[in-house]
Amino acid sequence: MRDCDNLDPKELLLCLGFPLSEAVLRPLSFPLTDIPLLPGSPRRLSPQAGTRGGQGPKHGQQYLQTPGPRAPGLQGSSSRDPGQPCGGESARSSSVINNYLDANEPVSLEARLSRMHFHDNQRKVDYVLAYHYRKRGMHLAQGFPGHSLAIVSNGETGKEPHAGGPGDIELGPLDALEEERKEQREEFEHNLMEAGLELEKDLENKSQGSIFVRIHAPWQVLAREAEFLKIKVPTKKMYEIKAGGSIAKKFSAALQKLSSPLQPRVPEHSNNKMKNLSYPFSREKMYLYNIQEKDTFFDNATRSRIVHEILKRTACSRANNTMGINSLIANNIYEAAYPLHDGEYNSPEDDMNDRKLLYQEWARYGVFYKFQPIDLIRKYFGEKIGLYFAWLGLYTSFLIPSSVIGVIVFLYGCATIEEDIPSREMCDQQNAFIMCPLCDKSCDYWNLSSACGTARASHLFDNPATVFFSIFMALWATMFLENWKRLQMRLGYFWDLTGIEEEEEHSRPEYETKVREKMLKESNKSAVQKLETNTTESGHEDDEDKLTWKDRFPGYLMNFASILFMIALTFSIVFGVIVYRITTAAALSLNKATRSNVRVTVTATAVIINLVVILILDEIYGAVAKWLTKIEVPKTEQTFEERLILKAFLLKFVNAYSPIFYVAFFKGRFVGRPGSYVYVFDGYRMEECAPGGCLMELCIQLSIIMLGKQLIQNNIFEIGVPKLKKLFRKLKDETEAGETDSAHSKHPEQWDLDYSLEPYTGLTPEYMEMIIQFGFVTLFVASFPLAPVFALLNNVIEVRLDAKKFVTELRRPDAVRTKDIGIWFDILSGIGKFSVISNAFVIAITSDFIPRLVYQYSYSHNGTLHGFVNHTLSFFNVSQLKEGTQPENSQFDQEVQFCRFKDYREPPWAPNPYEFSKQYWFILSARLAFVIIFQNLVMFLSVLVDWMIPDIPTDISDQIKKEKSLLVDFFLKEEHEKLKLMHEPALRSPGGGDRSRSRAASSAPSGQSQPGSVMSSGSQHTNV
């Protein structure tokens, strides 16, 4: 066995089998201290290091030599050679595994001013892990009071049994769970350092508190992971993007000049005229890239994305072989993991960062009129969030023309209200249409002219212009989706998303737990041993080590039953509101004072009840959908998100639209007729539509629910609730701030500020809110042409509200690269197609458009609508009313022999009294024919628009083809120059040797590159 005594530090670490590269061992020139490792803590020692010569560990402890602390004045048992540099200098000049922070060590002013770096003010903090610790007791060793040691690479402090040096700490015992979590954190952080990451953390020198593990990715790690993830980076080659033609160029220039006041004042991150050729990063082709400074070559979002990928795939054997940081957070080993924001957004200093720029030019209500800085949003938050705000901006801009057309349709109804013959006939008191009672006993006969106001208001929305507006909105939805596909392709081209591959996703913690439970139940001991030894490959299960449909069948069954129950619950609540309307109307009809306003009162209160129920059930259904998706145990996060979206959309769609569907298609259809009414309960008849039809009530229902959801959800749920949470968190922190440093509380670090923000939970709530609004705008637009106007006003505020939330109230999300908006596009496309059918039925069944056309062209004597009201009313002989249903104490002026009711039925004197008349069947067939013609016509026009608008813009398609050709030419040219420099005889001269070494440094892999920045030749320029 090899003797490891009497060796220098570098040879000693190699002798012990410590798995460090030469790049890490090279700068180690400061004293070492023996650190005790807890039994069972992560050990990476070679088998030869199990027994040492000389003094060995006592009581079964093992010791790992690591660099000693850099506390001033600290006298360790080991002495430093006078010729070696101090620890601080070594830390700044080396690839340090860990920083050793002393709570009493003074920090320079320069280091305190930098909140984005380690305490050496050089290495950038790329990611932060946060956890809360708790101790039962902590006693300082005698002889060195008031000093606290730093946490070292294995996360443990203590005293070697045979080394009684000053400054050692004797920790009080932790409870079993806390100690287990601590050991798991130690192993995970050790594995992160083995992956090449550099960590920095503070001491656990209080009885309890929060600890932040700062993570920095050095250039070697960034280069390795960028190559592994195939991240596209800009090369030295630049080319000009030319416009399609002179007319297009002039039009684009004029449009840009006109819109210049609306443009945000941000630097051009994606120049529309110049673009770099992009190529996946490769350490063997460093000469292709324009690397001027290694620290800034990868932006902050890319750096945090790379670190997050390492965190997701790093295993922890002590935590049941869990894979990745998400599993550790789910098991409460860590509390949070997040990248840092780029400083404060409201700092008074003159220094400008991307976050502050986004706040000033995007996340304030005062800049609502400006375009969004989409490129800067993508640069700061990543492509997934950038695509959401690009989609929201396009949707909002498309609402402008639909709002203008909707206002024109509404104004047309206002202008033609005096010319509407049916409403004038209803308001004419000389016609004296005596209507049948609306309820039994307490309701009297009434004149149709009393419903004059309702009839005139119905004309505002029920006029011929609404039909053309419905066709326009169906084509509008198609054009919006087609333009979004084009914009998506354009953004994908400028953001280098073309050709990216789907990244392999890791299993979710819940899925791993289910697989582990299955293996423990159904497997023998060999399978259990296989589970224990399988650490890094736990994400690649064999076929027998994954969940089958039989394992998921109980979850699927629970999902099916629960969704059916929730839908039935929604329908039953709608039915309950119907019963409320019927009983309230009957009760109010008994009182003469409230009898005149029965319909208005019942409608208004019922709609408000519907709104409150919808808002409450929305929150409940969101939680239920998440629980149902969890019991399905999807394998990956993407699968989990897609199934959650489908369930939540289904439940919220039914919840939001079921009252509207009832009013549009079912109310008044099953009333019966006088003498043979349909009763819900004894004495309570089914409700019927107003004399002017149900369209006006549908408009009221739609407008109140739509506006109420937008106002309440935006103002209370999206603004008020986060502020209350923030206030509660602030009060909680103030009550637990007994041990915090006053100086630190006055000048908190960036990771402390970000930790106090709300965690990012995904874009599903944002998309869901807009998708439901899209349904309100398209599904029933025939009954409410002003819906696009209110949606536009809401979205102007919504864009800035979401922007402010992301910039100021949420932790910075992980940058996620994606090519599209995923399943949301399919949902939008489905709503657009379904809106054609729903609007066709609203026009044909709910409105009077078809009966008016039939009467005008088939029954009218002069081709006008004169006599239309009389044509729609049937006769009933009041002597045939059932006993006990006649009006009591009728106050009607004249004796009534016949009353009228709205339906197409045979008169009492006909051979078949009260049967459906020929007009009824004629109009019914006309309604169905209109639905078929309208649906096929609009679908044909939608397909035509889809065919006429290509998914990929022609200029983008040409640029992609030319970019590939340019990339090949540039690649071959660089390779040729590289070979030419390698074989040129003149390179053997002293001057040429310097050039050769410089060229070789720029083309060498990152692991062998020269320290410092890699200077590139001038950027090349090409016209395309």
Side-chain angles (χ1 to χ4, degrees):
M1 186 171 293
R2 185 179 176 185
D3 188 5
C4 295
D5 290 338
N6 302 321
L7 299 176
D8 62 9
K10 291 181 287 186
E11 295 175 346
L12 181 58
L13 288 176
L14 291 173
C15 176
L16 294 177
F18 195 71
L20 296 175
S21 63
E22 286 293 333
V24 177
L25 289 172
R26 191 180 301 116
L28 292 179
S29 57
F30 35 84
L32 301 177
T33 305
D34 286 338
I35 303 299
L37 292 174
L38 290 176
S41 60
R43 301 178 181 87
R44 302 292 177 179
L45 303 179
S46 61
Q48 290 84 356
T51 307
R52 306 187 202 177
Q55 293 181 354
K58 298 180 181 181
H59 307 294
Q61 284 187 326
Q62 298 189 21
Y63 289 83
L64 175 65
Q65 289 195 341
T66 55
R70 294 184 284 109
L74 178 61
Q75 302 294 331
S77 58
S78 303
S79 61
R80 178 175 57 88
D81 295 337
Q84 293 177 346
C86 65
E89 295 174 357
S90 177
R92 284 189 292 270
S93 62
S94 64
S95 178
V96 180
I97 301 175
N98 199 352
N99 265 27
Y100 308 97
L101 300 184
D102 185 358
N104 299 326
E105 181 180 357
V107 184
S108 65
L109 180 61
E110 179 185 8
R112 287 187 180 275
L113 291 178
S114 177
R115 298 181 177 181
M116 298 293 298
H117 294 75
F118 280 10
H119 278 68
D120 59 9
N121 206 25
Q122 290 185 358
R123 288 168 292 165
K124 185 180 298 183
V125 177
D126 297 316
Y127 220 88
V128 175
L129 306 180
Y131 65 89
H132 190 83
Y133 72 93
R134 177 173 55 86
K135 296 180 180 179
R136 287 186 176 178
M138 186 178 77
H139 307 282
L140 294 176
Q142 296 180 357
F144 199 79
H147 183 76
S148 38
L149 280 180
I151 305 244
V152 291
S153 59
N154 65 346
E156 185 66 27
T157 57
K159 181 176 71 173
E160 184 182 357
H162 60 276
D168 295 329
I169 296 177
E170 181 183 352
L171 296 178
L174 300 173
D175 62 291
L177 180 60
E178 189 68 25
E179 183 176 357
E180 181 182 0
R181 290 175 178 173
K182 183 173 184 177
E183 293 177 1
Q184 292 170 3
R185 287 193 293 265
E186 292 171 3
E187 182 192 358
F188 185 72
E189 292 165 13
H190 182 82
N191 293 340
L192 292 179
M193 290 185 289
E194 279 196 341
L197 298 177
E198 298 175 2
L199 310 183
E200 179 187 73
K201 61 191 295 188
D202 299 319
L203 280 173
E204 299 179 3
N205 53 4
K206 306 182 183 71
S207 60
Q208 65 174 350
S210 296
I211 291 294
F212 301 96
V213 182
R214 280 87 70 185
I215 303 176
H216 168 75
W219 170 257
Q220 291 85 356
V221 176
L222 294 174
R224 180 191 71 206
E225 297 297 323
E227 182 175 2
F228 174 72
L229 297 174
K230 299 180 181 179
I231 296 177
K232 283 188 174 183
V233 293
T235 63
K236 292 182 289 186
K237 183 78 167 182
M238 292 189 69
Y239 66 95
E240 183 180 358
I241 303 174
K242 287 188 174 181
S246 58
I247 299 178
K249 185 183 296 185
K250 291 180 181 179
F251 179 75
S252 178
L255 186 63
Q256 188 173 4
K257 186 176 181 180
L258 290 175
S259 63
S260 58
L262 305 178
Q263 298 292 339
R265 294 176 295 176
V266 297
E268 290 291 338
H269 294 290
S270 177
N271 197 334
N272 292 328
K273 295 182 179 179
M274 302 297 299
K275 186 178 185 297
N276 282 89
L277 281 176
S278 297
Y279 187 76
F281 188 84
S282 174
R283 290 175 289 178
E284 296 180 354
K285 298 180 176 61
M286 299 282 287
Y287 54 88
L288 296 176
Y289 313 112
N290 191 13
I291 306 178
Q292 297 181 354
E293 183 63 40
K294 288 184 177 181
D295 291 338
T296 58
F297 181 69
F298 296 105
D299 57 20
N300 291 343
T302 305
R303 295 174 68 100
S304 63
R305 176 192 167 206
I306 288 174
V307 175
H308 184 62
E309 288 294 330
I310 298 176
L311 291 172
K312 286 196 299 185
R313 69 167 187 259
T314 302
C316 182
S317 61
R318 286 188 171 276
N320 295 323
N321 294 315
T322 53
M323 177 70 73
I325 185 62
N326 294 332
S327 302
L328 298 180
I329 293 177
N331 295 328
N332 297 319
I333 298 171
Y334 288 97
E335 285 190 4
Y338 52 91
L340 289 182
H341 278 292
D342 290 355
E344 295 187 59
Y345 65 90
N346 56 355
S347 58
E349 294 85 3
D350 295 333
D351 58 324
M352 183 62 67
N353 55 65
D354 287 344
R355 187 188 187 192
K356 191 174 183 179
L357 190 60
L358 283 172
Y359 177 74
Q360 293 180 354
E361 295 296 325
W362 179 53
R364 294 187 300 113
Y365 296 111
V367 293
F368 71 93
Y369 60 92
K370 289 188 177 183
F371 294 115
Q372 299 185 89
I374 294 297
D375 292 322
L376 184 59
I377 297 170
R378 170 252 178 180
K379 178 187 176 223
Y380 192 81
F381 292 110
E383 285 75 10
K384 188 172 184 179
I385 296 177
L387 284 176
Y388 163 71
F389 282 104
W391 174 84
L392 182 58
L394 182 68
Y395 171 48
T396 304
S397 62
F398 257 73
L399 285 172
I400 296 176
S402 61
S403 301
V404 173
I405 303 298
V407 171
I408 292 174
V409 170
F410 179 74
L411 294 178
Y412 171 80
C414 295
T416 59
I417 191 170
E418 298 296 335
E419 303 174 4
D420 183 47
I421 297 174
S423 61
R424 282 163 49 189
E425 289 183 349
M426 289 183 65
C427 295
D428 188 5
Q429 296 184 0
Q430 296 179 358
N431 288 328
F433 294 110
I434 302 175
M435 306 299 292
C436 296
L438 296 175
C439 62
D440 296 343
K441 293 185 180 181
S442 59
C443 295
D444 200 356
Y445 304 105
W446 56 285
N447 279 320
L448 184 61
S449 58
S450 63
C452 175
T454 305
R456 292 172 64 88
S458 298
H459 179 72
L460 299 177
F461 305 100
D462 188 4
N463 56 71
T466 58
V467 179
F468 298 100
F469 186 58
S470 300
I471 298 176
F472 168 79
M473 288 303 296
L475 299 179
W476 172 88
T478 303
M479 293 185 65
F480 164 63
L481 295 177
E482 290 302 314
N483 277 271
W484 167 245
K485 286 192 286 187
R486 290 170 61 86
L487 178 60
Q488 194 170 250
M489 286 301 302
R490 189 175 295 275
L491 293 176
Y493 165 70
F494 283 106
W495 294 352
D496 296 321
L497 300 177
T498 55
I500 66 171
E501 301 177 359
E502 293 291 336
E503 298 178 359
E504 181 182 358
E505 290 196 72
H506 301 284
S507 301
R508 298 176 61 250
E510 294 81 0
Y511 181 84
E512 292 180 351
T513 303
K514 283 290 183 180
V515 171
R516 190 177 302 110
E517 291 176 356
K518 175 186 176 182
M519 294 177 65
L520 291 175
K521 289 180 180 178
E522 300 179 359
S523 302
N524 51 22
K525 293 183 179 181
S526 61
V528 178
Q529 294 174 358
K530 175 184 176 183
L531 176 65
E532 293 175 351
T533 57
N534 185 17
T535 57
T536 60
E537 298 179 358
S538 62
H540 305 280
E541 299 93 358
D542 296 330
D543 291 338
E544 64 272 10
D545 297 342
K546 62 183 180 181
L547 300 181
T548 62
W549 70 270
K550 294 182 180 179
D551 301 318
R552 291 193 171 100
F553 182 75
Y556 291 152
L557 187 62
M558 178 64 71
N559 270 261
F560 181 75
S562 300
I563 291 175
L564 285 182
F565 173 76
M566 294 299 169
I567 294 175
L569 175 64
T570 304
F571 290 161
S572 59
I573 290 176
V574 172
F575 181 74
V577 175
I578 295 171
V579 173
Y580 162 79
R581 295 159 68 114
I582 295 172
T583 54
T584 305
L588 293 177
S589 299
L590 297 175
N591 191 346
K592 293 181 179 180
T594 58
R595 188 176 299 171
S596 59
N597 298 321
V598 169
R599 193 177 296 276
V600 176
T601 305
V602 170
T603 301
T605 56
V607 171
I608 293 174
I609 292 174
N610 273 327
L611 174 62
V612 173
V613 170
I614 287 173
L615 293 176
I616 295 174
L617 289 183
D618 257 357
E619 301 301 315
I620 296 175
Y621 286 168
V624 169
K626 191 171 184 180
W627 174 72
L628 292 176
T629 309
K630 284 182 178 179
I631 64 177
E632 274 191 52
V633 199
K635 183 174 182 181
T636 63
E637 287 294 339
Q638 181 178 356
T639 308
F640 178 87
E641 184 178 9
E642 289 179 353
R643 296 184 181 182
L644 173 62
I645 289 170
L646 286 176
K647 292 182 183 63
F649 172 73
L650 175 63
L651 294 175
K652 292 189 176 186
F653 182 89
V654 173
N655 180 42
Y657 297 119
S658 54
I660 301 173
F661 269 93
Y662 164 73
V663 174
F665 304 124
F666 298 100
K667 184 177 180 181
R669 312 294 170 193
F670 312 101
V671 177
R673 60 171 179 83
S676 181
Y677 284 113
V678 177
Y679 291 87
V680 181
F681 301 110
D682 188 22
Y684 294 102
R685 287 168 15 192
M686 282 291 294
E687 58 179 348
E688 51 186 306
C689 294
C694 283
L695 196 68
M696 189 61 198
E697 187 173 346
L698 175 62
C699 174
I700 296 173
Q701 184 104 2
L702 185 66
S703 59
I704 292 180
I705 291 178
M706 179 181 177
L707 295 178
K709 275 180 64 68
Q710 291 180 352
L711 292 176
I712 295 177
Q713 285 187 338
N714 287 351
N715 294 319
I716 296 181
F717 294 161
E718 292 196 27
I719 298 177
V721 173
K723 289 187 178 297
L724 290 177
K725 288 183 178 179
K726 190 175 182 179
L727 179 63
F728 176 76
R729 223 172 20 248
K730 185 178 180 181
L731 294 175
K732 183 180 179 181
D733 293 340
E734 289 177 355
T735 56
E736 297 179 355
E739 295 181 289
T740 57
D741 188 9
S742 60
H744 183 267
S745 61
K746 292 180 181 179
H747 302 284
E749 299 288 355
Q750 188 62 44
W751 43 85
D752 292 297
L753 296 174
D754 289 0
Y755 181 70
S756 63
L757 300 177
E758 279 289 310
Y760 169 72
T761 57
L763 289 170
T764 300
E766 319 300 334
Y767 271 116
M768 188 67 69
E769 181 183 350
M770 290 295 103
I771 295 296
I772 296 296
Q773 184 202 85
F774 184 78
F776 282 121
V777 170
T778 56
L779 290 177
F780 300 98
V781 73
S783 63
F784 189 41
L786 295 180
V789 179
F790 293 108
L792 175 63
L793 296 177
N794 173 79
N795 286 9
V796 170
I797 302 174
E798 180 72 20
V799 171
R800 308 302 163 178
L801 178 65
D802 287 345
K804 187 176 182 181
K805 180 169 63 175
F806 274 88
V807 173
T808 66
E809 298 177 1
L810 295 180
R811 295 173 189 162
R812 187 172 184 173
D814 294 304
V816 178
R817 288 178 69 86
T818 182
K819 295 186 293 186
D820 48 43
I821 60 175
I823 196 174
W824 295 112
F825 183 84
D826 299 327
I827 294 176
L828 285 169
S829 180
I831 292 178
K833 291 180 174 58
F834 186 65
S835 68
V836 177
I837 303 174
S838 64
N839 281 295
F841 277 97
V842 168
I843 296 171
I845 297 177
T846 311
S847 74
D848 285 336
F849 177 74
I850 298 301
R852 291 184 182 188
L853 282 181
V854 171
Y855 176 80
Q856 184 175 0
Y857 293 105
S858 299
Y859 297 98
S860 177
H861 299 291
N862 53 7
T864 64
L865 290 176
H866 286 287
F868 172 73
V869 174
N870 184 52
H871 181 263
T872 60
L873 298 177
S874 300
F875 288 89
F876 180 76
N877 191 344
V878 297
S879 63
Q880 297 178 357
L881 285 172
K882 290 184 179 181
E883 188 67 28
T885 61
Q886 298 92 343
E888 295 179 351
N889 304 322
S890 175
Q891 303 295 323
F892 212 69
D893 297 336
Q894 54 185 341
E895 184 179 353
V896 179
Q897 183 179 2
F898 295 98
C899 65
R900 310 293 294 272
F901 63 98
K902 190 173 183 179
D903 206 347
Y904 293 95
R905 292 182 181 267
E906 297 288 345
W909 54 83
N912 299 315
Y914 309 127
E915 294 291 333
F916 287 116
S917 63
K918 294 181 180 179
Q919 290 89 341
Y920 172 83
W921 299 109
F922 188 19
I923 292 174
L924 180 61
S925 60
R927 293 180 193 267
L928 297 179
F930 174 82
V931 170
I932 296 173
I933 294 173
F934 182 89
Q935 176 183 342
N936 285 278
L937 175 63
V938 175
M939 287 293 185
F940 170 76
L941 293 177
S942 300
V943 172
L944 183 63
V945 170
D946 189 0
W947 175 76
M948 292 177 63
I949 302 177
D951 294 346
I952 304 177
T954 306
D955 58 332
I956 297 299
S957 178
D958 295 339
Q959 297 292 351
I960 292 175
K961 295 177 183 177
K962 292 178 180 180
E963 186 177 271
K964 292 180 180 179
S965 176
L966 279 175
L967 187 60
V968 173
D969 295 340
F970 169 66
F971 186 81
L972 294 177
K973 183 178 179 181
E974 289 292 323
E975 287 288 335
H976 179 70
E977 291 183 2
K978 177 185 175 183
L979 294 175
K980 184 178 179 181
L981 288 174
M982 292 176 61
H983 295 89
E984 189 177 6
L987 294 179
R988 298 173 183 173
S989 62
D994 295 338
R995 289 167 50 199
S996 175
R997 284 191 296 271
S998 175
R999 187 68 176 177
S1002 64
S1003 62
S1006 62
Q1008 302 172 0
S1009 60
Q1010 300 295 326
S1013 63
V1014 179
M1015 302 304 294
S1016 64
S1017 59
S1019 299
Q1020 304 182 36
H1021 180 82
T1022 304
N1023 287 336
V1024 177

